[in-house]
Amino acid sequence: MKRLFSVLLLTTFLVALCAPAGVFADQALADHPDCYVTDMADILSDDEEQQLNSELKALSDELNFDIVVVTTHDLEGKTAAEYCDDFFDYTGYGRDDVFSGICFLRYITPDGSDYMVWITTTGLGMIYFNDSDIDDQIDFIADYIIDGEYYKAFSSFAKNAANHVKDYNKKNPDEIAQYEDWKKTNGPDQDGFTRTEDYLDWKYEQQAYKEHMRYKPAWIVAAVIIGFIVGGSATASMKKQLISVSAATNAAGYVKKDSFKLTSRSDTFLYKNVSAVPIPQTSSSGGGSSHTSSHHSSSGRSHGGGGRRI
Amino acid sequence: MAGLQEYKCPCCGGAIEFNSEVQKMKCPYCDTEFEMSALEQLDKDLSADRADEVEWDLGQTNEWSNSEIEGMRVFVCRSCAGEIIGDENMAATTCPYCGNNVVVMGNFAGGLKPDLVIPFKLNKEAAVKKMADHLTGKKLLPKVFKEQNHIEEILGVYVPFWLYSADVEVSGRFKGTKVRTWSDGKFAYTQKDHYSITREATLSFEDVPVDASTKMADDLMDSLEPYDYKAAVPFQTAYLAGYMADKYDVSVEDSKERSTERIKSTAASRLQGTVTGYSTVTNEHTNVRFSSNGAKYALLPAWILNTKWNDQNYTFAMNGQTGKFVGNLPMDKSLKTKYFWSYTGVTSGVIVLISLILQLLKHIM
């Protein structure tokens, strides 16, 4: 009984702690909160919220990378992107000096007439998640969202995102050090913001330059193939020089001059076939981009992100 | 039910019927629709198909007169049994076909007298020079072939040919398609219009030559073409002086197949050449009919050169009128391999070198 009471007390405390988030936009940037789930749309049960919060906190602490979920039924006149950015910035999320983290927004009106999901990335989040990664993150959980299984959706999102970060660090062990180096020479801009997108631009440029400078093995493959073609056709033409005897199969040289006369002709249309092949549509959502598109939020910080109307 | 006409679908072959909804003939199997008039025309086209009529009228009346054959001798090859005709003064010792010795058999008798002869225009020296030219510039020719091959004898031979002429009617039925493509953004459309096409034409062939000697390889003689018939003159035995003449041993009847095939092939391709404006054309049926036709017996001049190398016979021939020189040459396989790898290696090497230079420039710039 005592235990139940303490759980209830903790829940009340947490809900109270997260409650002011709704008015975050008017506030200055706050200190880092201890709460990772803000369910203003009230689509999670208290138990789910508490469970999810502890999962998100554990993952965020482990990675030193905030994984945050927010739900709302009112975007307060902002776009989903602006709302999600502002929530993340003004509530005080973001680890380290570049406020690294990822924030998942579920917006749905009480009557279900309007809805949206949005993912905002900040700091290292912009490095970890490019546009197509964000798209993938939404893909993984889209079915849960559509079915209204929000706890499963958010919990999966957190695990998937955390795994993605771990994988990324494993695959790119030098990236963070490289980023730190870059920051040393390209520190915060005149407004005091570290522009991760500039780092990404620099990195893409470096990659493109490296790719440009790399010797392409295709040259050797092409050289060998062209070599064989030249060798083959040269010897074939040499071989042809030796052959000058062949049987005649036509009498084209013996047609009496001007003797050919067309005496009758007819061209009758019989029928037609029409076939239609769908033209593959290039998706305009930019899905699959290996770049991170970025923007500035009202707080002035840089964010990456992407979303979908589901 | 007299007058009931049954049509087959030109698209799938099924029986088609009149569809009252679309007021057209429609195939119940493939749903293709047809105008009645188109089917009637197709039916007419199909029923117009005929078989080839390629009968030759090959009456020959030209016989030798006794005075003409008086001075002629027949030589027989001991090895290949080839019969060669020459005048009584000819001192032929070698068979033009196999290079072996020949013997005089006796007086010439029988056979047909040639209608035409194209006299030799080029002499033996020209043939020797052409042979030397023939061997130069051939990269894969074994080097020793030039040195070791000895032209044992170069013989001027009048080769017997049958020259076939025919006036030809040719008719053909074709299937043609015209393809149109367009797109509305969502779909790429391809429309294929199918046509039944018929053509009829007349044309004449003059003096299609067919080698009338079994001793002469047909393809070797074909390769000597063309001869300029403008220089042909009525045959006289005087033209044989100093040369040999082969007596025809393939009759005009037996040779006609080859000329018929050649004429049919050209008539059909000329006819198909008039089917234009289509994306694809398929020949469904062609028939050729000869109206007036006939054949002449002609002697055409050729220099024949035989040589042996590595126990193999190589026969070369030169058109005695135009100087066209033909004859297949042996190939040095090791030379071919050498050339192949050196061309391949050099080309590949140059490309790799260029790529390395470009790479270097990237780093310098």
Side-chain angles (χ1 to χ4, degrees):
Chain A
M1 192 64 192
K2 195 175 174 187
R3 193 173 191 160
L4 182 70
F5 178 73
S6 64
V7 166
L8 273 174
L9 191 72
L10 183 68
T11 313
T12 319
F13 171 72
L14 282 175
V15 170
L17 188 72
C18 294
V23 289
F24 53 82
D26 299 329
Q27 298 180 341
L29 301 177
D31 288 340
H32 194 287
D34 211 26
C35 153
Y36 292 81
V37 184
T38 309
D39 182 23
M40 286 174 290
D42 203 19
I43 53 179
L44 293 168
S45 71
D46 288 349
D47 283 352
E48 287 172 339
E49 196 176 331
Q50 194 185 344
Q51 174 65 26
L52 188 63
N53 191 61
S54 57
E55 286 170 21
L56 296 185
K57 182 172 160 49
L59 290 170
S60 300
D61 288 345
E62 181 193 344
L63 299 169
N64 193 33
F65 180 78
D66 276 346
I67 300 174
V68 179
V69 169
V70 56
T71 73
T72 183
H73 48 65
D74 180 11
L75 290 178
E76 298 167 9
K78 302 175 188 180
T79 64
E82 287 163 358
Y83 187 93
C84 196
D85 292 348
D86 288 351
F87 174 80
F88 187 88
D89 292 346
Y90 291 105
T91 316
Y93 290 112
R95 304 273 175 138
D96 62 43
D97 57 331
V98 288
F99 307 100
S100 299
I102 186 166
C103 180
F104 189 100
L105 164 70
R106 173 54 173 168
Y107 158 64
I108 183 160
T109 53
D111 59 357
S113 61
D114 197 13
Y115 42 83
M116 183 90 190
V117 295
W118 190 266
I119 291 177
T120 280
T121 57
T122 315
L124 291 178
M126 293 171 69
I127 298 172
Y128 294 142
F129 295 90
N130 63 31
D131 292 352
S132 97
D133 295 332
I134 288 174
D135 227 38
D136 291 346
Q137 293 300 324
I138 297 174
D139 280 344
F140 294 150
I141 55 154
D143 287 345
Y144 290 140
I145 298 277
I146 292 162
D147 295 345
E149 295 187 70
Y150 289 111
Y151 170 73
K152 273 189 190 165
F154 300 148
S155 177
S156 304
F157 162 71
K159 284 188 195 100
N160 293 334
N163 285 336
H164 179 83
V165 170
K166 284 180 203 163
D167 282 352
Y168 190 95
N169 281 330
K170 213 180 276 171
K171 277 185 204 150
N172 307 280
D174 305 327
E175 174 100 41
I176 302 300
Q178 181 179 282
Y179 181 47
E180 290 302 325
D181 278 350
W182 177 85
K183 275 199 295 188
K184 273 179 205 155
T185 44
N186 303 274
D189 64 10
Q190 53 195 12
D191 300 324
F193 295 108
T194 301
R195 295 297 174 203
T196 309
E197 66 268 32
D198 290 348
Y199 163 73
L200 289 170
D201 285 347
W202 173 81
K203 189 180 94 171
Y204 297 145
E205 257 171 45
Q206 293 284 308
Q207 281 170 349
Y209 181 71
K210 242 186 219 164
E211 180 58 27
H212 172 70
M213 296 307 280
R214 194 171 63 87
Y215 184 74
K216 314 281 187 301
W219 273 107
I220 297 185
V221 177
V224 170
I225 292 172
I226 295 171
F228 272 103
I229 293 170
V230 170
S233 51
T235 43
S237 77
M238 289 176 197
K239 202 174 157 186
K240 225 174 132 189
Q241 288 182 327
L242 302 175
I243 307 296
S244 53
V245 172
S246 64
T249 55
N250 65 64
Y254 302 94
V255 178
K256 203 169 168 182
K257 200 166 173 262
D258 301 327
S259 72
F260 185 87
K261 286 189 182 62
L262 201 59
T263 51
S264 131
R265 61 185 298 162
S266 86
D267 297 60
T268 313
F269 171 75
L270 291 179
Y271 62 95
K272 66 179 179 188
N273 305 124
V274 181
S275 65
V277 179
I279 299 169
Q281 301 291 321
T282 47
S283 96
S284 55
S285 67
S289 158
S290 60
H291 278 49
T292 302
S293 31
S294 65
H295 55 270
H296 295 176
S297 65
S298 69
S299 73
R301 282 186 202 157
S302 299
H303 295 280
R308 200 179 298 170
R309 198 174 142 78
I310 49 173
Chain B
M1 291 290 278
L4 182 70
Q5 175 80 45
E6 196 180 79
Y7 290 109
K8 273 192 176 169
C9 175
C11 184
C12 72
I16 38 181
E17 38 197 54
F18 188 75
N19 184 304
S20 55
E21 275 175 45
V22 292
Q23 286 290 307
K24 278 179 183 175
M25 296 296 281
K26 187 170 180 175
C27 174
Y29 306 102
C30 68
D31 282 344
T32 316
E33 293 172 9
F34 307 91
E35 293 295 343
M36 194 61 209
S37 59
L39 288 171
E40 279 170 356
Q41 182 61 43
L42 177 67
D43 201 53
K44 222 190 276 175
D45 293 349
L46 286 168
S47 60
D49 285 357
R50 278 187 275 178
D52 287 338
E53 292 166 25
V54 288
E55 286 311 310
W56 289 92
D57 175 19
L58 301 168
Q60 284 282 348
T61 53
N62 220 355
E63 302 281 343
W64 296 94
S65 70
N66 280 340
S67 61
E68 279 175 323
I69 59 177
E70 232 169 47
M72 287 164 63
R73 296 285 178 274
V74 173
F75 300 79
V76 175
C77 174
R78 279 174 179 162
S79 172
C80 69
E83 281 188 35
I84 305 141
I85 312 160
D87 70 353
E88 55 191 349
N89 303 319
M90 197 183 78
T93 54
T94 311
C95 171
Y97 313 123
C98 66
N100 282 297
N101 291 338
V102 295
V103 290
V104 181
M105 193 172 105
N107 291 334
F108 171 79
L112 296 172
K113 180 186 160 188
D115 300 304
L116 295 169
V117 60
I118 295 179
F120 272 93
K121 213 172 159 185
L122 296 166
N123 60 17
K124 202 177 205 172
E125 286 67 41
V128 172
K129 192 179 169 299
K130 282 276 184 179
M131 175 74 191
D133 291 349
H134 190 62
L135 299 184
T136 51
K138 308 279 194 291
K139 289 208 172 85
L140 297 184
L141 184 70
K143 294 272 180 299
V144 289
F145 182 83
K146 258 193 225 181
E147 294 151 17
Q148 291 180 358
N149 92 84
H150 298 290
I151 304 292
E152 318 224 321
E153 197 160 359
I154 301 176
L155 297 169
V157 181
Y158 280 110
V159 183
F161 278 86
W162 296 112
L163 307 182
Y164 294 85
S165 298
D167 293 332
V168 172
E169 284 172 39
V170 56
S171 56
R173 185 164 53 78
F174 307 88
K175 269 192 173 170
T177 59
K178 287 182 184 177
V179 177
R180 193 166 73 87
T181 55
W182 73 97
S183 135
D184 64 1
K186 281 186 181 160
F187 288 91
Y189 298 92
T190 307
Q191 179 175 321
K192 235 182 190 182
D193 292 340
H194 296 255
Y195 289 81
S196 172
I197 303 147
T198 62
R199 293 282 185 275
E200 277 183 34
T202 58
L203 71 166
S204 304
F205 290 87
E206 260 185 335
D207 299 335
V208 180
V210 176
D211 158 32
S213 160
T214 47
K215 295 283 180 281
M216 291 286 182
D218 285 348
D219 55 357
L220 188 71
M221 290 301 109
D222 285 354
S223 305
L224 287 180
E225 291 176 29
Y227 280 93
D228 179 9
Y229 296 125
K230 283 196 206 88
V233 291
F235 178 78
Q236 284 177 12
T237 45
Y239 288 112
L240 292 183
Y243 300 103
M244 297 177 162
D246 192 3
K247 193 180 150 192
Y248 74 90
D249 57 0
V250 188
S251 73
V252 68
E253 280 292 332
D254 294 337
S255 297
K256 70 183 183 189
E257 277 311 310
R258 291 199 71 219
S259 71
T260 306
E261 283 315 308
R262 289 178 67 173
I263 287 172
K264 273 171 71 174
S265 158
T266 296
S269 69
R270 287 292 293 268
L271 188 71
Q272 183 154 352
T274 66
V275 183
T276 51
Y278 292 91
S279 315
T280 62
V281 175
T282 344
N283 188 343
E284 295 276 294
H285 182 87
T286 305
N287 77 73
V288 173
R289 297 174 302 283
F290 291 170
S291 41
S292 66
N293 62 69
K296 282 177 277 190
Y297 177 23
L299 294 180
L300 306 183
W303 287 99
I304 307 292
L305 303 85
N306 272 295
T307 184
K308 260 193 185 145
W309 186 71
N310 275 2
D311 291 331
Q312 241 189 306
N313 283 322
Y314 291 90
T315 305
F316 302 93
M318 187 181 86
N319 183 319
Q321 181 192 26
T322 65
K324 185 178 179 188
F325 199 101
V326 298
N328 291 344
L329 292 165
M331 182 176 71
D332 185 332
K333 284 198 176 122
S334 66
L335 260 182
K336 187 188 168 204
T337 313
K338 206 178 99 189
Y339 273 116
F340 175 77
W341 287 112
S342 52
Y343 272 69
T344 303
V346 168
T347 312
S348 304
V350 166
I351 294 171
V352 170
L353 194 72
I354 290 171
S355 73
L356 289 173
I357 291 170
L358 289 175
Q359 184 72 14
L360 193 70
L361 286 177
K362 271 199 274 187
H363 283 277
I364 292 171
M365 311 260 266

